Amino acid sequence: MSTLIDGPQPPSAVGSAGARASRLHIPAVPARPGHRSDFGYLSLSAAGALPRPAIDARAADIGELAAGLVRVLDDDHRPVGPWHLPLEPSVLKTGLRHMLLTRAFDRRMQRTHRQGRISFYIQSTGEEAVSVAQAMALRPGDMLFPSYRNQGLFVARGVPLVDLMCQLLSNRGDMCKGRQLPVMYHSGPARIFSISGNLATQYPQAVGWAMAGAIKGEDHIAAAWIGEGSSAEADFHHGLLFASVYRAPVILNVVNNQWAISTFQGFAGGEQQSFAARGPGFGIPGIRVDGNDFLAVHAVTQWAAQRARANHGPTLLELVTYRAEAHSTSDDPSRYRPRDDYQHWPLGDPIERLKQHLILAGHWTESAHQALSAQLEAQVDSSWAEALAQGTPEQGCSLDRGLMFEDVFKDMPEHLRRQRDALAAERG
Amino acid sequence: MSTLIDGPQPPSAVGSAGARASRLHIPAVPARPGHRSDFGYLSLSAAGALPRPAIDARAADIGELAAGLVRVLDDDHRPVGPWHLPLEPSVLKTGLRHMLLTRAFDRRMQRTHRQGRISFYIQSTGEEAVSVAQAMALRPGDMLFPSYRNQGLFVARGVPLVDLMCQLLSNRGDMCKGRQLPVMYHSGPARIFSISGNLATQYPQAVGWAMAGAIKGEDHIAAAWIGEGSSAEADFHHGLLFASVYRAPVILNVVNNQWAISTFQGFAGGEQQSFAARGPGFGIPGIRVDGNDFLAVHAVTQWAAQRARANHGPTLLELVTYRAEAHSTSDDPSRYRPRDDYQHWPLGDPIERLKQHLILAGHWTESAHQALSAQLEAQVDSSWAEALAQGTPEQGCSLDRGLMFEDVFKDMPEHLRRQRDALAAERG
Amino acid sequence: MPQMNMIQALNSAMDVMLERDPSVIVMGEDVGYFGGVFRVTEGLQRKYGEHRVLDTPIAEGGIVGAALGRGVNGLRPVAEFQFSDYIYPAFDQIVSELARLRYRSAGAFWSPVTVRTPCGGGIRGGQTHSQSPEGIFTHVCGIKVVMPSNPYDAKGLLIASIEDDDPVIFFEPKRLYNGPFDGTPDKAAVAWKGDPRAEVPEGHYAVPIGKAQIVRSGAALTIVTYGTMVHVCEAAVRDTRLDAEIIDVRSMIPLDVDTLCSSVSRTGRCLIVHEATGFSGFGAELSATIQERCFWDLEAPIERVTGWDTPYPSAFEWDYFPGPARVAAALRRLMSPP
Amino acid sequence: MPQMNMIQALNSAMDVMLERDPSVIVMGEDVGYFGGVFRVTEGLQRKYGEHRVLDTPIAEGGIVGAALGRGVNGLRPVAEFQFSDYIYPAFDQIVSELARLRYRSAGAFWSPVTVRTPCGGGIRGGQTHSQSPEGIFTHVCGIKVVMPSNPYDAKGLLIASIEDDDPVIFFEPKRLYNGPFDGTPDKAAVAWKGDPRAEVPEGHYAVPIGKAQIVRSGAALTIVTYGTMVHVCEAAVRDTRLDAEIIDVRSMIPLDVDTLCSSVSRTGRCLIVHEATGFSGFGAELSATIQERCFWDLEAPIERVTGWDTPYPSAFEWDYFPGPARVAAALRRLMSPP
Ligand SMILES: Cc1ncc(C[n+]2csc(CCOP(=O)(O)OP(=O)(O)O)c2C)c(N)n1
Ligand SMILES: Cc1ncc(C[n+]2csc(CCOP(=O)(O)OP(=O)(O)O)c2C)c(N)n1
Ligand SMILES: [Mg+2]
Ligand SMILES: [Mg+2]
């Protein structure tokens, strides 16, 4: 083909400027700064509208769950429909507490970053129900493979805030021994896997973990979380595929908070189809759920967990929510989306909704809420003081620099010992 | 988690031998050597049973096409149903000729390999309709991204057999200049892309090519082929995703010939769902078609091409067929599947079916068929003689070894010139 | 002459090329409306439209695969990877496809893709925002690999890369985006403004790929380095007051062996410095090649100063980073071998 | 003592480990019922069941990702990649995950995966069935990289790899599967039978990772090599009648620097030989390290004989392959430098 052999032919006219208009489709974005988002793109179902199938349902038979939106709490905070599986008020109150604590922690760490005391932070504001309700619907023996926006899993599994804070400070109490960027926590005892900087890698890993459980005949299951942006990565495909082929006992979650840094979810393939819809293509049930509805999230997770434990295989859950704050402390969302977007988000705030539900049901009061909030703020404060006792940023790094050379391998090989000694000599 | 910190815990009993039986699902295989395959796993639709939607149909509305099987020729070789778009008898006869030539070429090259005159070969026996009908349903300006089992594309686009044979011989006429394994052809003038040894990589490449066409406002489309086994690769996902997001004018084909070397299609995720079903999860129509039915393959390809050209976006086609021969000349399928499997394959042979259809319609006769076959055998023979004239294996490599250093870059850099000279000096 | 920092210089290179050549397109994660997390593509989508400056899904393998296909169909894609730590998912498309296409098709097909990606540490990014993986790519035949150390080279090399008909992996030492960092994090940050290497013409010019640059002439010994380390080495030379020749490699493939070797033959001593992990890093190739060519002129062993053979740990960034003190110690050792 | 070729030795290693340790599992494309395209896993599924010897989808990235997860959950996965040319789709899972997990979690999580994969040319495989990508992996910290050159080492090293709590990339020079190929393709193929290195115990034994082996002692010069090239170098030494010491590296990470350097210090001359592309290949690291340690003992430049810096072209296989003639020429050059 001579045009190819001769080199790329500059198109005589390209793009909108040209005579031959470009026919490439570019996904739409609801609004850019200065305008107001039209959330009409979001397909919503009425609370209670979708059926709750048996846990051994075939994916192909329950496709409506991938297109619709499972909701339990209606606009008046009343629980309705088949997905309402009544939970003890104490359980709901525990959920509320975990969400509130997560938010208080986020807010405080964000402030700490602004004061220059930690170098980086990522908030999960507006998405607390995802992590908290899901952790609570699983068993302690189940293994969790989080993304960087799932701090609620750590909170709900009772990992002390001090431990998380020490990681943020890279001080003597840092579970990562100074090796990971802030927020890249893990917890062996709480069975929460190490967070990776490389997106989506945890998906096939969780499936592998679950496969091992199945091979060993155990009934622990695995669950993994990624953002909707990250579902574009190859490992999303690998996760679905391996889960499908071996019917692994795993819950694969896509947290669709509408944005991947500055990139709207349409660029991840959310314009043509829901993310939950990827599941049925692999024979995996896909369920799209209101991610800000604690009860709905809990119910679908429980369904998926029962399904997995009963050996009916994996489930793909899409948790529809909204990233209320910046992507991270390095980000300024007012550059790419309307500043007040979250105020118009049709699915509200997860904490507010559970709170109103509990008040409506007579299990909670505004003043109890104030008191709890204050108590949790105090808990965050005292945890922070405790964390600082293990090394403040002003004191410099409180970890032995020799730790840099450990854990590259189980046993330190000769060449790393030599390098460790050279560094020690350099630093005197 | 101490069990993790202490090291992997040998499960007390693993697998079928143990007290706790493994709960891992292993895909079923229809039959291993010594048994007879039960093709009941194959979901079949009656010829003519599936509707032919408008080319701008939404993927979600035509899901039945991904689950069923588009067939035009019934068991009596009569064309039926909405996918029957009558083609000129001359077109059908051309198709028959291309398929026969492809098979004759394959058979001859296979023999040539057995004689030790080429080092490697891959046949497409039983799958000729896929390449031939699809190439014929596309336009010459459309760009094709083949796998190694699409020699029919080259035949249908009129690439001289001699050119293909010279590639197999790595002789002076080799389009690859001795650099590629036999069968890894390409053709610039015929717009057929270079075949890669790494599976599935052509999928996102084809999408990119199509996107460029759209950007330039052209109406050439792209088409790519991979095997069902290769659909497990990440690039399958990348292809679908990018095609979906930018609504690229591309046809993505999965040739499901049931086997990937020794691995049954269930291990690629074909047990839970069809491969065509992956499309709707991305908002891409998926159509499962009888890949041995020339008319059906032609019709769905034409549909997809019209859709793409009219700017309605990509289509995923699953072509259900059977790999009648070994994976390659390095393979012996009798080690992993029943020897006579193909005799029981429910979708028959594509050449035989088109032939019977033509005879039934009064456009063809058994004796015309014999004559054509003989003529094509002769064409293969004379092409082979022509190819050998450009260098036989017995003469040794007829290409200049300096070619090894060319085309690594457009211009040969200093270090490669030095290496070329060193080799020349070494060889005197 | 306008002054530009490295971000502006890179932006200007793409601006110039988008303007001149309608086949040039820019693509990557967050590069469009937002202008990239490091702001390198800022304003380009506004100017050239969302069909030529495209936001992409977060799928590095898909980005390269699609870019390759576009390149085959007549475009000149410039793809950004947000961090070079995230290039690995695209490894197969780069190594098996982009680098091999021209060769395997004997020139019938090729794709002039440029892959831009920020590399290196010193920004508290931790182990997945600080890597320098260039060494890996230098073992892949069929791609060119470059890394500028200043705004002038950044623009000129990026233009040359985009115009090049071979695929180019273009590494941007992110610690240099805003200023010529010399390896002492406690000192106040220095901006590019006022630095002669920040004098960058507005228009089109190219810095040829394949040519190293002598950044400082000297007779006592030769320092071979690139990227951020160029500035660190300058600081170390100031500190030691040694009359070192400093060579900025700039282009790893093709490598300007003559410039390196004629210097080492003259000085008889050579120090190789890079930020990446040492073991099998690009410094190994530099050392091996120089030793092969200059053996008889060497008066001391060629040494390497590099990052340690560990991941880049966030809390020990400045213990990991091969700063001026580590370089200076090696320089002194080299001048009076034990 | 039983005689085994390399395929049988590798098979035996997995058989022994599957038998001894219920946490060992084997997985890969075509490894189960079929026993692998090179028959290395033949019979294992029949013996240990399809839950412990698994066929997988053709998705190398998924294979490593899933293996990693299984390793974390208490298994010891041995994953086969059909050809090492096809390891690239798994690159991110290997580099960013497998190699980093223990480090980033400070030991809380780790996964003892062994990745087995046939490498090297000489089987008319062309550019995507002949590569030797080991050099790339030696730049990745957190994994071990080994390559045996004979059946005894193959079994012992594979057992050591499976038992190792760190991830190991285990390269199998496929040209040696059936016999000790010495680089002369025209000669009749030699089988392993009768070779002392093919005497392989039936049961469990380990060859420690991290130890090189002196294959031939000599005083005139040192050849540092591994894999297929060990046998090619033996042939070249026979041809030149030089009293060369030949060292089989065996383990690239960790590298047995002491064994290499004490030999070179003694002989004063060193040739490095590998089949992979030379530029930034593992030979560069060997050369750089040996030069650093042995500089004052060197009587001639360290040379490298490697594959050319091109893809491995199928028609020119024996021009590409660094055969005994090319090695012998280098040996002679090394003994009387120009
Ligand atoms: C492989 C890889 N590519 C790119 C990045 C850079 N990156 C970090 S977060 C992010 C956006 C992810 O968005 P999403 O998955 O939607 O998660 P969210 O932040 O919304 O929770 C990107 C592109 C990365 N970390 N890894
Ligand atoms: C990345 C990669 N992995 C593995 C292989 C080895 N391999 C070559 S062909 C093949 C089977 C492919 O099967 P399928 O996609 O069904 O195509 P078919 O051969 O049936 O046409 C395998 C595993 C490869 N070439 N590339
Ligand atoms: Mg998101
Ligand atoms: Mg197949």
Side-chain angles (χ1 to χ4, degrees), chain B residues 92-423:
Chain B
L92 293 177
K93 280 192 258 181
T94 303
L96 187 67
R97 165 187 276 268
H98 288 326
M99 291 201 289
L100 272 171
L101 183 55
T102 304
R103 189 167 293 183
F105 172 58
D106 273 355
R107 212 158 23 207
R108 178 59 194 258
M109 292 305 102
Q110 179 74 12
R111 208 166 71 225
T112 298
H113 173 267
R114 224 174 292 118
Q115 294 160 347
R117 302 192 82 185
I118 60 175
S119 61
F120 182 76
Y121 193 70
I122 287 184
Q123 297 186 86
S124 63
T125 317
E127 307 177 31
E128 293 88 351
V130 169
S131 295
V132 171
Q134 294 204 270
M136 290 177 65
L138 294 169
R139 294 194 193 153
D142 298 335
M143 183 80 187
L144 314 183
F145 290 77
S147 91
Y148 47 77
R149 212 181 293 283
N150 292 117
Q151 44 268 57
L153 297 176
F154 292 84
V155 172
R157 283 221 164 158
V159 176
L161 289 190
V162 182
D163 290 4
L164 307 182
M165 290 165 168
C166 286
Q167 197 278 334
L168 299 171
L169 288 161
S170 290
N171 68 13
R172 283 188 302 280
D174 176 7
M175 64 190 76
C176 301
K177 298 193 182 153
R179 297 183 190 135
Q180 284 256 65
L181 195 69
V183 316
M184 300 305 201
Y185 323 106
H186 65 264
S187 172
R191 292 203 160 217
I192 310 182
F193 194 66
S194 161
I195 298 169
S196 177
N198 294 54
L199 298 171
T201 51
Q202 66 271 33
Y203 245 50
Q205 294 166 0
V207 174
W209 195 97
M211 286 174 71
I215 289 175
K216 294 190 287 180
E218 298 168 356
D219 74 346
H220 304 311
I221 68 173
W225 286 262
I226 56 172
E228 90 295 339
S230 306
S231 75
E233 291 285 6
D235 278 329
F236 174 69
H237 169 75
H238 294 141
L240 289 175
L241 178 68
F242 278 68
S244 163
V245 169
Y246 303 105
R247 236 178 266 164
V250 64
I251 304 177
L252 297 170
N253 300 294
V254 173
V255 183
N256 182 356
N257 63 4
Q258 315 304 311
W259 292 92
I261 312 185
S262 76
T263 306
F264 183 63
Q265 54 115 13
F267 285 88
E271 190 180 62
Q272 310 292 329
Q273 261 296 15
S274 76
F275 295 92
R278 309 279 194 271
F282 287 91
I284 299 174
I287 307 183
R288 193 163 163 268
V289 60
D290 178 347
N292 290 6
D293 176 342
F294 186 95
L295 279 80
V297 173
H298 195 282
V300 298
T301 307
Q302 201 163 61
W303 186 90
Q306 282 168 359
R307 178 179 173 91
R309 245 182 278 280
N311 222 14
H312 302 305
T315 303
L316 177 67
L317 301 180
E318 174 181 348
L319 301 119
V320 178
T321 181
Y322 189 90
R323 195 194 77 211
E325 296 289 345
H327 170 73
S328 73
T329 49
S330 310
D331 180 44
D332 172 8
S334 71
R335 299 184 85 125
Y336 53 79
R337 68 181 193 191
R339 226 177 254 281
D340 60 350
D341 231 20
Y342 188 49
Q343 270 98 281
H344 307 294
W345 173 244
L347 299 177
D349 181 272
I351 295 180
E352 187 59 24
R353 286 172 69 190
L354 182 57
K355 171 185 159 193
Q356 294 304 339
H357 166 66
L358 278 166
I359 290 175
L360 191 75
H363 302 304
W364 198 237
T365 62
E366 191 63 57
S367 69
H369 196 80
Q370 298 305 335
L372 178 61
S373 297
Q375 181 201 329
L376 296 174
E377 303 274 355
Q379 181 184 337
V380 170
D381 283 346
S382 72
S383 298
W384 181 240
E386 248 187 272
L388 288 175
Q390 302 196 54
T392 69
E394 294 72 23
Q395 291 159 341
C397 186
S398 58
L399 290 162
D400 183 320
R401 57 173 64 91
L403 286 171
M404 178 158 69
F405 301 93
E406 286 178 16
D407 297 324
V408 180
F409 298 98
K410 186 178 181 197
D411 301 309
M412 197 183 299
E414 169 70 16
H415 69 282
L416 290 180
R417 260 177 298 165
R418 253 184 288 121
Q419 294 179 19
R420 182 194 55 190
D421 296 347
L423 176 63

Side-chain angles (χ1 to χ4, degrees), chain A residues 264-303:
Chain A
F264 184 63
Q265 54 116 14
F267 285 89
E271 189 180 63
Q272 309 292 330
Q273 259 296 14
S274 76
F275 295 91
R278 310 280 194 271
F282 287 92
I284 298 175
I287 307 183
R288 192 162 165 270
V289 58
D290 178 347
N292 290 5
D293 176 342
F294 186 95
L295 278 79
V297 173
H298 194 283
V300 297
T301 308
Q302 200 163 62
W303 186 92

